[in-house]
Amino acid sequence: MEDRFGRKIDYLRISVTDRCNLRCLYCMPPEGVKPKPRQEILRFEEILTVVEAALELGINRFRLTGGEPLLRKGIIPFIKAMALLPGIEDIAITTNGLLLPQLGEQLKEAGVRRLNISLDTINPEKYRKITGGGDFRTVWEGITTALELGFTPVKINVVALNQINDEEWADLARLTLDRPLHIRFIELMPVGTSWQLAGKNYVSCGQVKSEIEKKLGKLTPVTHIQGSGPAEYHRLPGAQGTIGFIHAMSNHFCASCNRLRLTADGKLRPCLHDRREVDVREAVRSGATGKELQELFHKALQLKPASYRQAAVAPAAGRGMAQIGG
Ligand code: SAM
Ligand code: SF4
């Protein structure tokens, strides 16, 4: 389907839960965010109904996120059921990786091919601090499990944080040398709880790249990466993996935005940076037909701004990434 600005929309990011087993400092306050009552969260069969409507509209690529998607009970049978829907092209997951050692194999069997794993540091003590208590060894085991099981590609999301992980950007980039890992640096976005942090610790991907080049030499641009989305990719000489930069703030990719989001509580959100949403939960629960659900998708598309600069209302007030589905 196409939006008012001629952008092809074929990608839906689905937040399957607003709960998480970490408290990353840019995503949640240390005490966590009070999760929504269970009855407000879409049941898996309700998500499948929304996915079926999306498929009818030509949206055929999906990413499961959250909160931490692997925490939700029943995620494996849900993915299996989703993978069987006619027309599904791709189911990917964004995860903090902590449950991959247990669930990696089942995810692969269920039909997931592509994984994004979040990791902002390779220093265990710093990992504990950034994530509010996470265990680095477990996520590293998750990453090695993902590689061993042959997920392709395995992308690592690193939020670039000035004065927090700046000394490690080159070390993180070096991880691509002897592993097929795609390390992607993401600019800190002032969403939800990270407004203050963004004022102090934001750094542009341009700066991250030049810091890496100072230490490791010039990066060579790479043109095609599977499911490359908004990232710009580079490679170190002889490296198995790549280094990506997601200029989420400095050089916005709104013109090529191809996505909608479905929040855990059943709202279609046309733009991460715009708080306007279209409720689909009530429609699903009152037995709306596929056609009626598709109309709600059209309504959401009408609200999709040309760029986050034209977003009608200030970003995400009251809702953090874990609730919207980062
Ligand atoms: N829990 C999973 C994880 O951490 O990968 C999935 C949900 S998380 C909200 C999805 C992605 O959003 C993560 O890679 C995280 O680093 C990123 N993220 C969260 N808050 C962010 C912010 N304020 N700016 C930039 N990226 C952010
Ligand atoms: Fe949880 Fe992911 Fe947010 Fe970290 S970034 S608190 S792992 S949802």
Side-chain angles (χ1 to χ4, degrees), residues 20-22 68-69 94-100 116-118 127 139:
C20 191
N21 44 2
L22 292 181
E68 176 46 44
T94 300
T95 169
N96 61 29
L98 291 179
L99 290 167
L100 280 177
N116 288 10
I117 305 170
S118 302
Y127 184 79
V139 62

Side-chain angles (χ1 to χ4, degrees), residues 98-118:
L98 291 179
L99 290 167
L100 280 177
Q102 284 120 280
L103 293 179
E105 203 164 341
Q106 295 175 62
L107 284 174
K108 190 81 194 297
E109 279 168 20
V112 177
R113 297 284 162 270
R114 306 193 301 113
L115 281 183
N116 288 10
I117 305 170
S118 302

Side-chain angles (χ1 to χ4, degrees), residues 26 65-68 94-96 118 157 159 187-189 194 321 326:
Y26 44 73
T65 176
E68 176 46 44
T94 300
T95 169
N96 61 29
S118 302
N157 287 353
V159 178
E187 288 173 353
L188 178 63
M189 289 182 271
S194 59
M321 288 287 257

Side-chain angles (χ1 to χ4, degrees), residues 249-279:
M249 300 309 298
S250 64
N251 175 11
H252 227 273
F253 32 75
C254 302
S256 56
C257 184
N258 60 350
R259 63 197 57 188
L260 290 175
R261 288 180 157 80
L262 178 66
T263 66
D265 58 344
K267 318 278 182 229
L268 280 175
R269 188 167 176 122
C271 172
L272 179 63
H273 298 279
D274 191 323
R275 72 194 275 188
R276 289 177 300 177
E277 296 171 341
V278 172
D279 181 43

